[in-house]
PDB file of all heavy atoms in Angstrom:
ATOM      1  N   GLU A 208      -1.327 -85.941-174.035  1.00 95.00           N
ATOM      2  CA  GLU A 208      -1.878 -87.174-174.591  1.00 95.00           C
ATOM      3  C   GLU A 208      -1.015 -87.657-175.760  1.00 95.00           C
ATOM      4  O   GLU A 208      -0.790 -86.939-176.725  1.00 95.00           O
ATOM      5  CB  GLU A 208      -3.316 -86.931-175.075  1.00 95.00           C
ATOM      6  CG  GLU A 208      -3.998 -88.137-175.691  1.00 95.00           C
ATOM      7  CD  GLU A 208      -4.535 -89.101-174.648  1.00 95.00           C
ATOM      8  OE1 GLU A 208      -4.207 -88.951-173.465  1.00 95.00           O
ATOM      9  OE2 GLU A 208      -5.300 -89.998-175.031  1.00 95.00           O
ATOM     10  N   GLY A 209      -0.501 -88.885-175.636  1.00 94.00           N
ATOM     11  CA  GLY A 209       0.287 -89.473-176.708  1.00 94.00           C
ATOM     12  C   GLY A 209       1.730 -89.030-176.763  1.00 94.00           C
ATOM     13  O   GLY A 209       2.488 -89.486-177.621  1.00 94.00           O
ATOM     14  N   GLY A 210       2.129 -88.146-175.870  1.00 96.00           N
ATOM     15  CA  GLY A 210       3.513 -87.724-175.791  1.00 96.00           C
ATOM     16  C   GLY A 210       4.013 -86.922-176.982  1.00 96.00           C
ATOM     17  O   GLY A 210       3.240 -86.424-177.801  1.00 96.00           O
ATOM     18  N   ILE A 211       5.338 -86.813-177.067  1.00 97.00           N
ATOM     19  CA  ILE A 211       5.966 -86.024-178.133  1.00 97.00           C
ATOM     20  C   ILE A 211       5.631 -86.593-179.504  1.00 97.00           C
ATOM     21  O   ILE A 211       5.371 -85.839-180.459  1.00 97.00           O
ATOM     22  CB  ILE A 211       7.496 -86.000-177.927  1.00 97.00           C
ATOM     23  CG1 ILE A 211       7.852 -85.295-176.621  1.00 97.00           C
ATOM     24  CG2 ILE A 211       8.185 -85.306-179.111  1.00 97.00           C
ATOM     25  CD1 ILE A 211       9.303 -85.473-176.217  1.00 97.00           C
ATOM     26  N   LEU A 212       5.614 -87.913-179.639  1.00 94.00           N
ATOM     27  CA  LEU A 212       5.379 -88.514-180.948  1.00 94.00           C
ATOM     28  C   LEU A 212       3.990 -88.176-181.486  1.00 94.00           C
ATOM     29  O   LEU A 212       3.812 -87.912-182.671  1.00 94.00           O
ATOM     30  CB  LEU A 212       5.586 -90.022-180.887  1.00 94.00           C
ATOM     31  CG  LEU A 212       7.002 -90.494-180.533  1.00 94.00           C
ATOM     32  CD1 LEU A 212       7.086 -92.007-180.560  1.00 94.00           C
ATOM     33  CD2 LEU A 212       8.034 -89.884-181.472  1.00 94.00           C
ATOM     34  N   LYS A 213       2.995 -88.177-180.613  1.00 95.00           N
ATOM     35  CA  LYS A 213       1.651 -87.806-181.046  1.00 95.00           C
ATOM     36  C   LYS A 213       1.587 -86.320-181.366  1.00 95.00           C
ATOM     37  O   LYS A 213       0.897 -85.898-182.310  1.00 95.00           O
ATOM     38  CB  LYS A 213       0.637 -88.162-179.949  1.00 95.00           C
ATOM     39  CG  LYS A 213      -0.819 -87.888-180.332  1.00 95.00           C
ATOM     40  CD  LYS A 213      -1.266 -88.719-181.520  1.00 95.00           C
ATOM     41  CE  LYS A 213      -2.749 -88.536-181.792  1.00 95.00           C
ATOM     42  NZ  LYS A 213      -3.165 -89.222-183.034  1.00 95.00           N
ATOM     43  N   TYR A 214       2.330 -85.501-180.606  1.00 97.00           N
ATOM     44  CA  TYR A 214       2.394 -84.066-180.890  1.00 97.00           C
ATOM     45  C   TYR A 214       2.998 -83.844-182.275  1.00 97.00           C
ATOM     46  O   TYR A 214       2.486 -83.041-183.060  1.00 97.00           O
ATOM     47  CB  TYR A 214       3.219 -83.364-179.818  1.00 97.00           C
ATOM     48  CG  TYR A 214       3.236 -81.857-179.938  1.00 97.00           C
ATOM     49  CD1 TYR A 214       2.275 -81.076-179.300  1.00 97.00           C
ATOM     50  CD2 TYR A 214       4.216 -81.204-180.683  1.00 97.00           C
ATOM     51  CE1 TYR A 214       2.282 -79.695-179.403  1.00 97.00           C
ATOM     52  CE2 TYR A 214       4.237 -79.825-180.796  1.00 97.00           C
ATOM     53  CZ  TYR A 214       3.275 -79.072-180.155  1.00 97.00           C
ATOM     54  OH  TYR A 214       3.290 -77.699-180.271  1.00 97.00           O
ATOM     55  N   PHE A 215       4.088 -84.554-182.589  1.00 97.00           N
ATOM     56  CA  PHE A 215       4.683 -84.448-183.926  1.00 97.00           C
ATOM     57  C   PHE A 215       3.660 -84.813-184.993  1.00 97.00           C
ATOM     58  O   PHE A 215       3.548 -84.151-186.027  1.00 97.00           O
ATOM     59  CB  PHE A 215       5.877 -85.396-184.047  1.00 97.00           C
ATOM     60  CG  PHE A 215       7.128 -84.924-183.363  1.00 97.00           C
ATOM     61  CD1 PHE A 215       8.249 -85.743-183.323  1.00 97.00           C
ATOM     62  CD2 PHE A 215       7.210 -83.679-182.762  1.00 97.00           C
ATOM     63  CE1 PHE A 215       9.421 -85.329-182.710  1.00 97.00           C
ATOM     64  CE2 PHE A 215       8.374 -83.248-182.138  1.00 97.00           C
ATOM     65  CZ  PHE A 215       9.486 -84.082-182.112  1.00 97.00           C
ATOM     66  N   GLU A 216       2.912 -85.874-184.753  1.00 94.00           N
ATOM     67  CA  GLU A 216       1.938 -86.368-185.729  1.00 94.00           C
ATOM     68  C   GLU A 216       0.814 -85.365-185.961  1.00 94.00           C
ATOM     69  O   GLU A 216       0.401 -85.125-187.097  1.00 94.00           O
ATOM     70  CB  GLU A 216       1.369 -87.705-185.255  1.00 94.00           C
ATOM     71  CG  GLU A 216       0.401 -88.375-186.216  1.00 94.00           C
ATOM     72  CD  GLU A 216      -0.111 -89.701-185.689  1.00 94.00           C
ATOM     73  OE1 GLU A 216       0.605 -90.360-184.901  1.00 94.00           O
ATOM     74  OE2 GLU A 216      -1.241 -90.091-186.057  1.00 94.00           O
ATOM     75  N   ASP A 217       0.327 -84.748-184.882  1.00 96.00           N
ATOM     76  CA  ASP A 217      -0.846 -83.874-184.984  1.00 96.00           C
ATOM     77  C   ASP A 217      -0.489 -82.410-185.233  1.00 96.00           C
ATOM     78  O   ASP A 217      -1.259 -81.683-185.862  1.00 96.00           O
ATOM     79  CB  ASP A 217      -1.687 -83.958-183.701  1.00 96.00           C
ATOM     80  CG  ASP A 217      -2.364 -85.296-183.534  1.00 96.00           C
ATOM     81  OD1 ASP A 217      -2.271 -86.127-184.449  1.00 96.00           O
ATOM     82  OD2 ASP A 217      -2.978 -85.515-182.469  1.00 96.00           O
ATOM     83  N   VAL A 218       0.654 -81.960-184.708  1.00 97.00           N
ATOM     84  CA  VAL A 218       0.998 -80.537-184.739  1.00 97.00           C
ATOM     85  C   VAL A 218       2.252 -80.249-185.556  1.00 97.00           C
ATOM     86  O   VAL A 218       2.314 -79.281-186.311  1.00 97.00           O
ATOM     87  CB  VAL A 218       1.180 -79.987-183.304  1.00 97.00           C
ATOM     88  CG1 VAL A 218       1.624 -78.528-183.337  1.00 97.00           C
ATOM     89  CG2 VAL A 218      -0.125 -80.127-182.514  1.00 97.00           C
ATOM     90  N   GLY A 219       3.276 -81.098-185.408  1.00 96.00           N
ATOM     91  CA  GLY A 219       4.548 -80.842-186.077  1.00 96.00           C
ATOM     92  C   GLY A 219       5.567 -80.243-185.124  1.00 96.00           C
ATOM     93  O   GLY A 219       5.640 -80.626-183.959  1.00 96.00           O
ATOM     94  N   SER A 220       6.324 -79.272-185.594  1.00 97.00           N
ATOM     95  CA  SER A 220       7.465 -78.762-184.831  1.00 97.00           C
ATOM     96  C   SER A 220       7.163 -77.524-184.001  1.00 97.00           C
ATOM     97  O   SER A 220       8.048 -77.036-183.290  1.00 97.00           O
ATOM     98  CB  SER A 220       8.608 -78.436-185.797  1.00 97.00           C
ATOM     99  OG  SER A 220       8.218 -77.412-186.699  1.00 97.00           O
ATOM    100  N   ALA A 221       5.962 -76.994-184.061  1.00 98.00           N
ATOM    101  CA  ALA A 221       5.656 -75.752-183.351  1.00 98.00           C
ATOM    102  C   ALA A 221       5.982 -75.871-181.862  1.00 98.00           C
ATOM    103  O   ALA A 221       5.549 -76.818-181.194  1.00 98.00           O
ATOM    104  CB  ALA A 221       4.180 -75.390-183.524  1.00 98.00           C
ATOM    105  N   HIS A 222       6.785 -74.933-181.345  1.00 98.00           N
ATOM    106  CA  HIS A 222       7.164 -74.842-179.933  1.00 98.00           C
ATOM    107  C   HIS A 222       8.095 -75.967-179.485  1.00 98.00           C
ATOM    108  O   HIS A 222       8.310 -76.144-178.284  1.00 98.00           O
ATOM    109  CB  HIS A 222       5.928 -74.809-179.024  1.00 98.00           C
ATOM    110  CG  HIS A 222       4.974 -73.709-179.356  1.00 98.00           C
ATOM    111  ND1 HIS A 222       5.237 -72.390-179.062  1.00 98.00           N
ATOM    112  CD2 HIS A 222       3.759 -73.727-179.976  1.00 98.00           C
ATOM    113  CE1 HIS A 222       4.224 -71.642-179.494  1.00 98.00           C
ATOM    114  NE2 HIS A 222       3.322 -72.425-180.041  1.00 98.00           N
ATOM    115  N   TYR A 223       8.660 -76.717-180.441  1.00 98.00           N
ATOM    116  CA  TYR A 223       9.574 -77.800-180.109  1.00 98.00           C
ATOM    117  C   TYR A 223      10.908 -77.555-180.790  1.00 98.00           C
ATOM    118  O   TYR A 223      10.950 -77.149-181.952  1.00 98.00           O
ATOM    119  CB  TYR A 223       9.003 -79.153-180.552  1.00 98.00           C
ATOM    120  CG  TYR A 223       9.725 -80.341-179.966  1.00 98.00           C
ATOM    121  CD1 TYR A 223       9.278 -80.943-178.796  1.00 98.00           C
ATOM    122  CD2 TYR A 223      10.864 -80.850-180.573  1.00 98.00           C
ATOM    123  CE1 TYR A 223       9.948 -82.024-178.243  1.00 98.00           C
ATOM    124  CE2 TYR A 223      11.545 -81.934-180.024  1.00 98.00           C
ATOM    125  CZ  TYR A 223      11.077 -82.516-178.863  1.00 98.00           C
ATOM    126  OH  TYR A 223      11.753 -83.586-178.315  1.00 98.00           O
ATOM    127  N   GLN A 224      12.009 -77.807-180.080  1.00 96.00           N
ATOM    128  CA  GLN A 224      13.344 -77.652-180.637  1.00 96.00           C
ATOM    129  C   GLN A 224      14.070 -78.985-180.653  1.00 96.00           C
ATOM    130  O   GLN A 224      14.117 -79.681-179.643  1.00 96.00           O
ATOM    131  CB  GLN A 224      14.166 -76.655-179.808  1.00 96.00           C
ATOM    132  CG  GLN A 224      13.635 -75.221-179.853  1.00 96.00           C
ATOM    133  CD  GLN A 224      14.503 -74.281-179.027  1.00 96.00           C
ATOM    134  OE1 GLN A 224      14.971 -74.633-177.961  1.00 96.00           O
ATOM    135  NE2 GLN A 224      14.719 -73.078-179.538  1.00 96.00           N
ATOM    136  N   GLY A 225      14.655 -79.335-181.797  1.00 94.00           N
ATOM    137  CA  GLY A 225      15.416 -80.566-181.904  1.00 94.00           C
ATOM    138  C   GLY A 225      14.565 -81.750-182.313  1.00 94.00           C
ATOM    139  O   GLY A 225      13.542 -81.605-182.995  1.00 94.00           O
TER     140      GLY A 225
END
Side-chain angles (χ1 to χ4, degrees):
E208 179 80 349
I211 296 168
L212 297 182
K213 183 62 174 174
Y214 186 90
F215 283 175
E216 183 179 332
D217 291 355
V218 176
S220 63
H222 304 287
Y223 193 94
Q224 294 181 321

